[in-house]
Amino acid sequence: MSVISLANDLVGKVKYSFGANSLSSAGGTGDCSSFVQYVFSQNGVTLPRTAESQHNSSKGKAVSKDQLQAGDVVFFQGTYKSGISHVGIYAGNGKFIHNSSSKGGTTISDLSDSYYTQHYAGARRYEGANTGFSGESIVSIARSMKGKVTYDYEHKNKITNVVGNLVADCGGFVAYVLSKVGIKTGTSLTSLLNDSQGIEVSKDDLQAGDVIFYKDVGGSGLTHVNIYAGNDRVIESTKSAKGYKETSFSGFYENHFYKAKRFITSDSATTNSENSSSGSNLGIIKGFASNIVVAIVIAVLLVLGFVLFAKAFV
């Protein structure tokens, strides 16, 4: 599981005990820093044991509060002692996941809560961990489609990709790009908006790779979707350009903003694919073996039948 998926999965499953470090995928007992240490260890990053040492680790780089991304580690000071004394994992949209003594275990809290605002001490980003969000990859794939997309409203709810040319409306384009990072979704605006793989983010928290939904753009209700590329830019498949377009988010689109979602890569996508492949191969082998056994049995029966038939005339 990615950092975010695992941390979220452990909410309510880990009991708080200061100094404890007995955690597993099923839960267990730990404190704030052992929780963070465990989650990152499962994603290939070994962190020191305490909140203070994690904050000072050379493996991480400082991140400003307005640049936080899902999977960053947030630190707090003066909660029960001077200096760095508490730690959690940023989950996006102003929320963070942590093992809390006051809550008795893993929970989700809001960074804007007055207590956490007062004690906030900074954040760090640890390279090499699978945070579960592929924003840069999403934007890179979207941009690679320049000149390779034909807009067709009749392709609503479906995608056609022939000889390097994608035929799709706005929803189909977004769904196609997400599929290339292992996120399988529907192609309609409603299915994209309601997909549980995405977590809602505010307009002020937009990051490259987020999917933005609009209302009343050329019609009533939910009418358009595109991909935020960062730096006030969006990428889309649109009727006005007859296909691929990169344009400004400010102005028209910002005024029609409805919601935005950040899609977290499915940890099971690769695993299931590999398991499915292995299962298929195993099935073929088993099937082949079964056919051989059947053939041998039939051959034996034929021989026995021939022998009995021959004896009948002796």
Side-chain angles (χ1 to χ4, degrees), residues 71-114:
D72 290 345
V73 176
V74 289
F75 296 91
F76 305 87
Q77 60 189 355
T79 56
Y80 75 92
K81 68 172 187 175
S82 61
I84 303 298
S85 55
H86 190 59
V87 61
I89 300 171
Y90 186 66
N93 204 28
K95 309 289 185 181
F96 72 103
I97 304 170
H98 60 134
N99 197 10
S100 166
S101 59
S102 63
K103 299 295 183 181
T106 48
T107 188
I108 299 176
S109 298
D110 199 321
L111 275 179
S112 64
D113 182 283
S114 59

Side-chain angles (χ1 to χ4, degrees), residues 2 7-8 25 31 40 86 101 105 126 133 152 157 198 207 221 225 234 244 258-259 297 300 305 309:
S2 69
N8 189 62
S25 59
D31 57 18
F40 274 84
H86 190 59
S101 59
Y126 298 100
F133 178 56
D152 185 359
N157 300 332
Q207 295 177 16
V225 63
V234 290
Y244 178 96
Y258 174 54
K259 289 183 178 180
V297 171
V300 170
F309 179 78

Side-chain angles (χ1 to χ4, degrees), residues 156-158 169 171-172 175 185-193 213 225:
K156 186 178 182 180
N157 300 332
K158 67 178 181 178
D169 69 348
T185 71
T187 59
S188 71
L189 301 186
T190 302
S191 61
L192 280 165
L193 180 62
F213 298 86
V225 63

Side-chain angles (χ1 to χ4, degrees), residues 1-304:
M1 286 188 172
S2 69
V3 167
I4 295 302
S5 296
L6 179 55
N8 189 62
D9 188 62
L10 289 172
V11 170
K13 296 180 180 179
V14 177
K15 294 182 178 179
Y16 184 91
S17 179
F18 184 77
N21 186 19
S22 179
L23 295 97
S24 71
S25 59
T29 305
D31 57 18
C32 64
S33 55
S34 63
F35 169 70
V36 171
Q37 183 188 49
Y38 172 75
V39 170
F40 274 84
S41 72
Q42 298 305 297
N43 281 273
V45 176
T46 302
L47 294 181
R49 173 63 181 83
T50 68
E52 185 174 8
S53 58
Q54 289 171 4
H55 177 269
N56 297 333
S57 172
S58 60
K59 292 184 177 181
K61 65 177 182 180
V63 180
S64 62
K65 198 172 187 179
D66 62 352
Q67 294 296 315
L68 283 173
Q69 295 180 11
D72 290 345
V73 176
V74 289
F75 296 91
F76 305 87
Q77 60 189 355
T79 56
Y80 75 92
K81 68 172 187 175
S82 61
I84 303 298
S85 55
H86 190 59
V87 61
I89 300 171
Y90 186 66
N93 204 28
K95 309 289 185 181
F96 72 103
I97 304 170
H98 60 134
N99 197 10
S100 166
S101 59
S102 63
K103 299 295 183 181
T106 48
T107 188
I108 299 176
S109 298
D110 199 321
L111 275 179
S112 64
D113 182 283
S114 59
Y115 177 81
Y116 295 114
T117 298
Q118 177 186 352
H119 293 282
Y120 186 80
R124 300 188 74 79
R125 184 170 299 155
Y126 298 100
E127 301 297 335
N130 172 23
T131 62
F133 178 56
S134 303
E136 292 182 3
S137 296
I138 291 171
V139 173
S140 177
I141 291 167
R143 284 195 168 125
S144 74
M145 298 302 294
K146 183 177 182 179
K148 301 176 183 178
V149 181
T150 299
Y151 179 89
D152 185 359
Y153 185 73
E154 297 303 319
H155 270 66
K156 186 178 182 180
N157 300 332
K158 67 178 181 178
I159 300 171
T160 301
N161 192 21
V162 181
V163 195
N165 184 66
L166 179 72
V167 181
D169 69 348
C170 58
F173 172 72
V174 170
Y176 175 80
V177 172
L178 292 177
S179 74
K180 292 302 178 180
V181 294
I183 302 170
K184 306 298 182 183
T185 71
T187 59
S188 71
L189 301 186
T190 302
S191 61
L192 280 165
L193 180 62
N194 295 331
D195 196 306
S196 61
Q197 296 175 89
I199 58 173
E200 188 173 339
V201 295
S202 66
K203 184 164 62 175
D204 295 333
D205 192 37
L206 284 174
Q207 295 177 16
D210 289 345
V211 175
I212 308 177
F213 298 86
Y214 306 88
K215 275 193 171 183
D216 304 315
V217 179
S220 60
L222 186 63
T223 56
H224 191 57
V225 63
N226 54 29
I227 296 170
Y228 188 65
N231 298 318
D232 196 44
R233 308 289 291 175
V234 290
I235 301 173
E236 60 193 3
S237 173
T238 180
K239 183 178 180 180
S240 64
K242 298 181 180 180
Y244 178 96
K245 182 179 180 181
E246 181 170 341
T247 188
S248 173
F249 170 67
S250 293
F252 181 77
Y253 279 142
E254 187 173 13
N255 292 336
H256 290 279
F257 177 91
Y258 174 54
K259 289 183 178 180
K261 298 198 80 172
R262 184 166 301 149
F263 283 83
I264 306 301
T265 54
S266 174
D267 302 298
S268 60
T270 302
T271 303
N272 287 343
S273 175
E274 291 172 351
N275 290 343
S276 175
S277 175
S278 298
S280 298
N281 292 335
L282 185 58
I284 292 171
I285 292 171
K286 287 182 177 179
F288 184 66
S290 297
N291 290 337
I292 291 176
V293 171
V294 171
I296 292 173
V297 171
I298 292 174
V300 170
L301 291 175
L302 287 173
V303 170
L304 289 174

